[in-house]
Amino acid sequence: MATYTKLKLSGSTDGKGIKVAQTATPGTTIHTADATALDEIWIYCVNTSTAAVKLTIEWGEDTAPGNIEATIPAESGLQLCVPGLLLTNNLTVKAFASTANVTVIHGFVNRIS
């Protein structure tokens, strides 16, 4: 029987949001998946600026086609960007944005082992 453990994103300090500082690849580290368990990753993004920001999430690799791209509206609250996608094998999730230090990522991981 599978065991689910809810965890903070590994790039988070004490469960706080992760500010996206990078504007190009490689992005700010958001989470590193477990070596053997499946990590179900949920990511919510907020844009604190007064203009829309393009966010690129590097999903397990630094290049397309693995990237997830979204435009995060200005000052619109939390936007679901990753709806529980799976990752394993120590792969990383990183992010960069068109404007530095205005996009903040929140989320959690359900580790399935």
Side-chain angles (χ1 to χ4, degrees):
M1 179 179 221
T3 301
Y4 288 75
T5 306
K6 191 169 190 173
L7 305 169
K8 68 178 183 63
L9 297 168
S10 64
S12 169
T13 301
D14 299 328
K16 296 187 298 184
I18 303 164
K19 188 182 291 187
V20 179
Q22 300 301 320
T23 57
T25 190
T28 301
T29 299
I30 306 304
H31 183 70
T32 302
D34 190 76
T36 57
L38 282 174
D39 281 359
E40 177 188 65
I41 303 168
W42 291 80
I43 293 176
Y44 297 84
C45 307
V46 63
N47 171 8
T48 62
S49 77
T50 58
V53 173
K54 181 179 177 183
L55 176 69
T56 301
I57 297 174
E58 299 171 307
W59 192 259
E61 58 187 346
D62 291 343
T63 58
N67 292 348
I68 299 167
E69 296 179 340
T71 299
I72 311 302
E75 300 177 330
S76 61
L78 291 169
Q79 306 289 311
L80 179 62
C81 293
V82 177
L85 299 178
L86 298 174
L87 205 60
T88 190
N89 201 27
N90 290 323
L91 295 177
T92 60
V93 177
K94 297 181 181 185
F96 63 89
S98 57
T99 304
N101 299 315
V102 298
T103 305
V104 180
I105 292 181
H106 299 270
F108 62 92
V109 174
N110 287 319
R111 183 156 290 157
I112 307 164
S113 55

